[in-house]
Amino acid sequence: MTIQTLPTTPFTDQRPGTSGLRKKVTVFAQAHYLENFVQALFDVLPAATGLTLVLGGDGRYYNRVAVQTILRMAAAKGYARVLVGQGGILSTPAVSAVIRASQASGGIVLSASHNPGGPDGDFGIKYNIGNGGPAPEKITEAVFARSKELQQIRISDSAGIALDVLGDYLLDGMQVTVIDPVSTYAELMRTLFDFDAIRKLFAGGFRLRYDAMNAVGGPYAKALLEGELGAPAGTVVNGVPLEDFGGLHPDPNPVNAEDLIAHMFAADAPDMGAASDGDADRNMVVGRKFVVSPSDSLAVLAAHATRVPGYAKGLAGVARSMPTSTAADRVAQALGIPCFETPTGWKFFGNLLDAGKVTLCGEESYGTGSDHVREKDGLWAVLFWLNLVAASGKSVEALVRELWAAHGRCVYSRHDYEAIPTDQADSLMAGLRAALPALPGSSVAGCAIALADDFAYTDPVDGSVSNKQGIRVILTDGSRVVFRLSGTGTEGATLRVYLERHEPDASRHDIEAQTALQPLVALAEALAHIRGITGMAQPSVMT
Ligand code: VG1
Ligand code: CO
């Protein structure tokens, strides 16, 4: 068996987005497309002699093929050892946990996360660094630059390994260890939560419905909830990872997880519902007949963190992405801890977590996590909620209503306009940017604008600057409209419009979000001319 050097031609479209490189499977399946990206990454990374790499994915179509290819390229790069999940499976938070536990130099996550899967769906690849978190922009930009000039790839010509059998293999001098995808992650969860209290909760008849959406979260949720915490069999539904997610769209929100919502609003609804996404880093938590907004979820976890053993000492601080509602800021202020506002995407939380400046982080897009790993973590969030319910004796709904009573309700919604032709999306954003200077102090659609800018972030730890992270328009009463283009889609452009209004009056806390946000929808249209430019009368999805 030998290492081969093969000539290749660069691709020009391998720039990683919000969370790695995501393309249609048909794009990834082109000759050398995956290989080129991996080679560009390996060329940017230092020599791998003596180093360990972690490798796994969400099990979607093309996962197994990609794993075998990357193993052969890792051997050519000179890694001492690769830890690969059995069957090529590792959830995103599990990759992060395994990197940290094994002191690996980094890991490769194969996932397009919340994007649809299957032969006609999407595939993705992402590199995580030694802290277990997504590579910072400095690295992803260097990989992109390298990909555009790449002339050759290096790969072992050996046959692949038996991915389904635990144990050690030798691949062209490199050790490959096929590991149990769940055990390291499960061990970490045991150190954070009061498993006895959660066990008692289930023993007392508490009913949970966890919808893994036929994605990678299933094995983790089954092992912990049903296997260890005594939840009855059947608590986890859609629990076997399928290559096409069984036709489901594992992007948990009330639209895509409509079956879960139907169960949670039925007469005999369980006490709590939950769902995770393709790679199990997102979570949706639902109370009985009660939908929880992800921004509120982060705020509730922050407010009650000391009830959970892993966070009993209190929080150093919290962080949220810019479009996420200010509910967490209000809790942080009451707790006397800092709240950081970062651009969208988990890679911006890494430095804050490493520096010990924050303990909890979250995004409006159903992502919550902490310093236990360097990724958002779906099942972790569900265990956190279960621990809170057990420790407080309160329902999911009661915990959220308590938050609203203490801090007012941040009424929130995100409107997505999908598959817009790229030139239309670009001209819409350019129009907004051009209008920015004149907005502060003016009144548009009856709204008094206090601040309008294109969000720029200076990392407080390493000073790196990220510009153009979303247009935000803030009104004099603190209400906000944020516009940004998605960096994870694979078809045209997706415009995300984020709407937030603070409602201090408890007698109005039951107001329907879309109704309460109508004035801001009108403002968004007046500012961005979404209908005029795209011809879309309605968002594709409202969450
Ligand atoms: C989306 C979300 C963002 C999240 C990212 C990755 O990005 O808005 O909050 O971090 O997906 O999540 P964008 O650029 O499409 O808005 V995952 O679970 O798809 O890796
Ligand atoms: Co995800």
Side-chain angles (χ1 to χ4, degrees):
M1 284 170 289
T2 55
I3 305 295
Q4 297 191 305
T5 300
L6 308 175
T8 193
T9 320
F11 292 92
T12 54
D13 65 346
Q14 298 197 321
R15 179 183 226 142
T18 312
S19 179
L21 181 70
R22 293 187 193 177
K23 300 282 175 196
K24 296 262 168 228
V25 167
T26 47
V27 173
F28 264 104
Q30 293 172 84
H32 286 186
Y33 193 87
L34 173 75
E35 289 87 336
N36 271 23
F37 185 76
V38 174
Q39 190 62 53
L41 168 67
F42 285 169
D43 285 356
V44 161
L45 296 177
T49 322
L51 300 183
T52 298
L53 179 75
V54 177
L55 175 62
D58 63 13
R60 69 177 61 216
Y61 186 80
Y62 208 61
N63 193 73
R64 294 179 77 95
V65 179
V67 164
Q68 299 285 11
T69 301
I70 294 168
L71 283 174
R72 287 160 52 222
M73 293 185 71
K77 168 73 177 166
Y79 279 99
R81 189 180 186 205
V82 175
L83 304 177
V84 57
Q86 187 177 23
I89 294 278
L90 279 173
S91 74
T92 291
V95 169
S96 193
V98 173
I99 291 173
R100 294 167 69 79
S102 64
Q103 277 149 20
S105 61
I108 291 179
V109 189
L110 299 172
S111 172
S113 187
H114 67 278
N115 298 25
D120 302 321
D122 293 347
F123 189 73
I125 175 167
K126 181 174 80 153
Y127 182 69
N128 283 21
I129 58 175
N131 72 352
E137 281 185 331
K138 198 173 52 171
I139 296 184
T140 55
E141 286 299 306
V143 173
F144 176 49
R146 179 68 187 148
S147 73
K148 288 187 289 190
E149 60 186 25
L150 201 75
Q151 296 299 326
Q152 56 188 37
I153 54 176
R154 299 188 69 240
I155 186 162
S156 159
D157 64 356
S158 66
I161 59 135
L163 269 185
D164 296 302
V165 189
L166 295 177
D168 287 314
Y169 302 82
L170 212 57
L171 196 157
D172 237 340
M174 179 182 78
Q175 187 187 347
V176 180
T177 307
V178 176
I179 60 169
D180 172 38
V182 179
S183 58
T184 302
Y185 178 83
E187 215 168 285
L188 182 57
M189 294 302 115
R190 279 179 218 121
T191 67
L192 298 173
F193 300 112
D194 185 345
F195 272 33
D196 285 338
I198 302 175
R199 242 176 243 128
K200 276 195 200 119
L201 186 72
F202 283 127
F206 185 87
R207 285 165 61 221
L208 169 73
R209 181 180 179 89
Y210 187 111
D211 193 334
M213 304 194 84
N214 300 320
V216 81
Y220 298 86
K222 268 193 195 162
L224 283 168
L225 298 169
E226 296 182 9
E228 212 163 314
L229 293 166
T235 296
V236 178
V237 297
N238 296 319
V240 177
L242 301 176
E243 286 199 329
D244 64 350
F245 306 126
L248 294 181
H249 183 183
D251 177 359
N253 60 43
V255 179
N256 295 326
E258 57 176 355
D259 179 64
L260 177 66
I261 295 291
H263 278 90
M264 294 311 297
F265 281 78
D268 63 341
D271 299 287
M272 179 172 148
S276 44
D277 73 331
D279 58 338
D281 58 354
R282 295 189 184 198
N283 73 92
M284 177 171 79
V285 166
V286 193
R288 178 185 279 158
K289 300 190 170 70
F290 189 84
V291 169
V292 183
S293 120
S295 297
D296 281 347
S297 175
L298 171 66
V300 169
L301 302 193
H304 295 276
T306 50
R307 291 179 190 263
V308 170
Y311 307 94
K313 291 204 301 277
L315 307 175
V318 295
R320 62 162 174 86
S321 66
M322 185 272 281
T324 303
S325 98
T326 53
D329 305 43
R330 295 164 201 274
V331 170
Q333 196 179 11
L335 293 173
I337 57 172
C339 179
F340 294 84
E341 185 177 40
T342 60
T344 294
W346 215 260
K347 59 181 169 236
F348 295 103
F349 293 133
N351 277 348
L352 295 170
L353 291 163
D354 284 353
K357 288 182 180 293
V358 303
T359 313
L360 291 191
C361 320
E363 295 191 282
E364 51 63 44
S365 53
Y366 298 87
T368 334
S370 87
D371 60 359
H372 69 291
V373 287
R374 293 293 181 273
E375 286 280 4
K376 51 190 188 269
D377 188 344
L379 183 54
W380 166 89
V382 175
L383 292 169
F384 204 133
W385 269 97
L386 288 168
N387 200 149
L388 288 190
V389 168
S392 65
K394 291 175 183 158
S395 69
V396 170
E397 175 172 350
L399 286 164
V400 176
R401 286 193 181 276
E402 239 178 56
L403 173 83
W404 295 350
H407 303 284
R409 177 180 172 195
C410 293
V411 184
Y412 191 87
S413 180
R414 186 176 96 184
H415 291 186
D416 290 336
Y417 296 82
E418 295 174 346
I420 305 175
T422 316
D423 54 339
Q424 288 181 10
D426 289 344
S427 82
L428 186 149
M429 292 302 282
L432 274 170
R433 286 201 170 93
L436 282 176
L439 290 180
S442 74
S443 180
V444 179
C447 299
I449 297 173
L451 185 152
D453 68 0
D454 196 346
F455 182 62
Y457 178 66
T458 304
D459 186 300
V461 180
D462 68 12
S464 57
V465 177
S466 303
N467 290 312
K468 294 194 169 182
Q469 297 297 321
I471 305 284
R472 53 178 187 171
V473 177
I474 306 181
L475 307 188
T476 48
D477 69 355
S479 298
R480 300 192 304 162
V481 182
V482 174
F483 303 85
R484 58 179 285 281
L485 297 182
S486 157
T488 58
T490 59
E491 252 179 65
T494 292
L495 171 69
R496 304 203 194 283
V497 183
Y498 309 80
L499 310 155
E500 174 183 4
R501 203 192 105 195
H502 185 245
E503 179 54 76
D505 181 352
S507 72
R508 291 154 63 132
H509 282 172
D510 277 318
I511 191 162
E512 204 267 322
Q514 300 305 336
T515 312
L517 295 168
Q518 261 324 299
L520 295 177
V521 172
L523 172 64
E525 182 55 35
L527 291 171
H529 314 292
I530 305 169
R531 276 192 201 195
I533 294 176
T534 69
M536 294 171 80
Q538 291 296 324
S540 325
V541 187
M542 291 189 270
T543 55

